[in-house]
Amino acid sequence: MRMVDLIEKKRDGKSLTKEEIDYIVTAYTDGSIPDYQMSALLMAIYYVDMTDEEITNLTLAMANSGEVIDLSSIEGIKVDKHSTGGVGDTTTLILAPLVASVGVPVAKMSGRGLGYTGGTLDKLEAIPGFKIEIPEEEFIRLVNESKMAVIGQSGDLAPADKKLYALRDVTATVSSIPLIASSIMSKKIAAGADAIVLDVTTGDGAFMKNIDDAKRLAKTMVRIGKLANRQTMAVISDMSQPLGEAIGNSLEVVEAIETLQGKGPEDLTEMCYVLGSQMVVLAKKADSIEEAREMLSEALHSGKALSKFRELVVNQGGDASVIDEPDKILTARYEVELPAKSSGVVTKLVANELGIAAMMLGAGRKTKEEDIDHAVGIKLHKKVGDTVAEGESLLTIYSNTEAIDEVIALIEAHIEIGDTGEEPPLIHDMITE
Ligand code: URA
Ligand code: CA
């Protein structure tokens, strides 16, 4: 096979066969296809698109390009959840113990985050002592005994995706639906998921800025999940403003603990019920969404879900006293309130810039090499649709430096107070077929 012929075929609008896609992924991963040819193919895919069959073959080829985690020694249906990204997205920290507490096995493989705040791993490391580098056998034993464990993502998971993503990033081919869909699904499949619940976010804090694109991405991923024999469903959720109230690693751990105590923000709690009940049904632990939701509500209000979180922290070496005294990890040197300049209703709280502000404080990283400051971030006291009086605090900035003028200016430019405003819907749609 010659790569130039395959580029020409795609360029001319034709479909690539499974053998051709397997060849491309294998030869690009081992370095025998150069970046310039792969770049040309990516741009052809960007313009021509791919059929569901092509996307499925690409997904499976990328999943098989490195280590494929074998979770078959864990009893039950392993359901994974994936969010396409957002600001202050604390759901994984809550969902994992919540669904595990009703018997869904959670074998969570998680990565470090790039961008606004850390990934789930970074957040868990805000708990002193918490270890994410555990041997795979230990990980599997913990899931069998305790229904949940979290492990750092293997360096060899879907290496083809790692290489392709880096190339897409510099060739203006990231925002291609077949390429995003195969990238996400290949990592879920390589991490051993039997079934997948997707949270496809939309709004200016998300990858997909509008609902139509989010739906197209969700439908594509649900279809390739089916073709790859992984039951998949997607929720289209709003990310025009941050989810919950906390943005920042320690702040989000505290928010997760409060939510597991039944005292969390309403939108975040609801999001966990929506995603969690889908996971419970896919894991066949309940026959209907209503039944699943009742089980989760019982687990949250009885303290069962919080106990499961405590068990996770203890099992992985963390200091469980943080659960009883969460303020212990809120160690930022400065806490600065941001007062409202006028009275009215909050009409805008732009997720993207609030995320950037948290990153500027040190809550996220711009490059892989940077360190994260777990203690810093932003805690919102008002969300879109809330009334506010002049001088009342809109949010608290947690910082380790006094030099936050730029951060304040950025935040102020992206919060609006008007006469009328409504809370945006949390869920825009659900995609099951
Ligand atoms: N997230 C991914 O993992 N891959 C993409 O291509 C986009 C978002
Ligand atoms: Ca949050």
Side-chain angles (χ1 to χ4, degrees):
M1 250 180 266
R2 293 196 318 158
M3 183 65 170
V4 62
D5 301 327
L6 303 179
I7 297 169
E8 183 181 313
K9 191 173 175 189
K10 190 79 245 174
R11 183 202 68 192
D12 293 345
K14 301 194 182 94
S15 296
L16 299 171
T17 65
K18 177 175 177 350
E19 289 66 36
E20 288 165 344
I21 288 172
D22 284 345
Y23 160 73
I24 291 166
V25 171
T26 306
Y28 181 62
T29 309
D30 73 21
S32 44
I33 291 175
D35 281 349
Y36 54 82
Q37 282 189 310
M38 197 65 205
S39 302
L41 181 70
L42 290 172
M43 193 56 84
I45 291 171
Y46 184 97
Y47 279 107
V48 171
D49 209 344
M50 287 180 123
T51 64
D52 287 346
E53 196 185 336
E54 282 180 290
I55 306 172
T56 306
N57 288 329
L58 178 60
T59 300
L60 293 173
M62 291 203 294
N64 291 324
S65 68
E67 188 185 359
V68 178
I69 311 292
D70 179 8
L71 299 178
S72 59
S73 56
I74 296 171
E75 240 178 274
I77 301 171
K78 275 71 69 182
V79 188
D80 204 351
K81 187 247 9 170
H82 181 84
S83 164
T84 61
V87 179
D89 185 351
T90 318
T91 49
T92 301
L93 287 183
I94 302 159
L95 267 180
L98 179 60
V99 302
S101 76
V102 301
V104 178
V106 177
K108 189 74 191 167
M109 187 168 264
S110 208
R112 292 190 187 284
L114 263 189
Y116 310 118
T117 58
T120 297
L121 283 190
D122 300 298
K123 293 174 193 175
L124 285 168
E125 281 178 342
I127 301 170
F130 198 99
K131 278 199 306 287
I132 47 92
E133 306 293 343
I134 52 177
E136 207 173 304
E137 310 78 64
E138 166 85 350
F139 172 67
I140 288 179
R141 183 184 67 79
L142 285 174
V143 183
N144 270 327
E145 286 174 9
S146 156
K147 288 292 172 201
M148 82 169 292
V150 182
I151 191 174
Q153 193 164 302
S154 153
D156 193 40
L157 203 77
D161 173 64
K162 204 167 288 168
K163 209 170 162 193
L164 276 169
Y165 195 89
L167 187 63
R168 286 164 59 203
D169 208 21
V170 293
T171 55
T173 51
V174 168
S175 60
S176 154
I177 285 180
L179 296 177
I180 297 173
S182 53
S183 166
I184 292 173
M185 294 296 281
S186 68
K187 284 173 284 195
K188 294 290 115 181
I189 290 172
D194 298 320
I196 302 159
V197 171
L198 298 163
D199 172 17
V200 178
T201 49
T202 178
D204 78 14
F207 238 92
M208 297 286 124
K209 305 294 175 199
N210 69 65
I211 295 177
D212 289 342
D213 285 346
K215 274 193 205 170
R216 279 211 299 142
L217 176 62
K219 283 183 181 162
T220 303
M221 289 195 286
V222 169
R223 285 196 305 261
I224 59 180
K226 293 243 157 80
L227 288 173
N229 285 320
R230 265 64 168 197
Q231 273 237 61
T232 304
M233 70 81 57
V235 172
I236 314 280
S237 72
D238 188 78
M239 195 43 78
S240 59
Q241 64 173 343
L243 185 65
E245 296 163 358
I247 313 166
N249 302 279
S250 292
L251 285 162
E252 289 187 47
V253 169
V254 174
E255 182 172 57
I257 293 167
E258 286 169 358
T259 305
L260 287 165
Q261 289 169 329
K263 300 185 298 192
E266 221 173 282
D267 61 343
L268 179 59
T269 304
E270 176 59 21
M271 197 64 207
C272 291
Y273 279 138
V274 170
L275 296 171
S277 50
Q278 297 287 345
M279 292 173 78
V280 172
V281 169
L282 283 182
K284 296 196 165 41
K285 295 287 175 188
D287 295 326
S288 69
I289 294 296
E290 295 71 32
E291 185 191 347
R293 205 180 157 108
E294 259 168 50
M295 288 163 71
L296 295 178
S297 170
E298 193 275 328
L300 202 72
H301 293 107
S302 66
K304 221 161 78 182
L306 185 69
S307 298
K308 190 51 78 179
F309 186 66
R310 190 183 300 272
E311 205 177 309
L312 167 76
V313 172
V314 171
N315 283 345
Q316 299 199 214
D319 175 3
S321 73
V322 165
I323 294 167
D324 307 301
E325 298 164 75
D327 284 359
K328 265 188 164 158
I329 55 171
L330 299 182
T331 55
R333 220 165 305 151
Y334 306 99
E335 292 182 19
V336 179
E337 304 297 325
L338 189 78
K341 288 188 170 152
S342 59
S343 297
V345 178
V346 179
T347 54
K348 226 178 199 181
L349 206 59
V350 184
N352 189 51
E353 274 72 16
L354 282 163
I356 293 171
M359 184 167 78
M360 285 162 69
L361 290 165
R365 27 171 114 69
K366 285 171 230 90
T367 66
K368 266 189 277 194
E369 290 69 34
E370 275 178 56
D371 278 335
I372 269 193
D373 186 344
H374 290 105
V376 302
I378 297 168
K379 176 84 195 258
L380 304 170
H381 306 309
K382 298 286 174 184
K383 301 273 305 255
V384 172
D386 288 348
T387 54
V388 60
E390 186 184 338
E392 199 181 350
S393 178
L394 290 166
L395 52 89
T396 307
I397 297 169
Y398 290 74
S399 172
N400 272 324
T401 159
E402 272 184 297
I404 56 169
D405 290 354
E406 253 181 83
V407 172
I408 290 177
L410 180 67
I411 296 174
E412 281 185 332
H414 293 91
I415 296 185
E416 278 175 21
I417 296 171
D419 297 330
T420 54
E422 258 178 56
E423 192 184 337
L426 186 64
I427 308 290
H428 293 285
D429 211 344
M430 302 249 197
I431 311 287
T432 50
E433 285 298 330

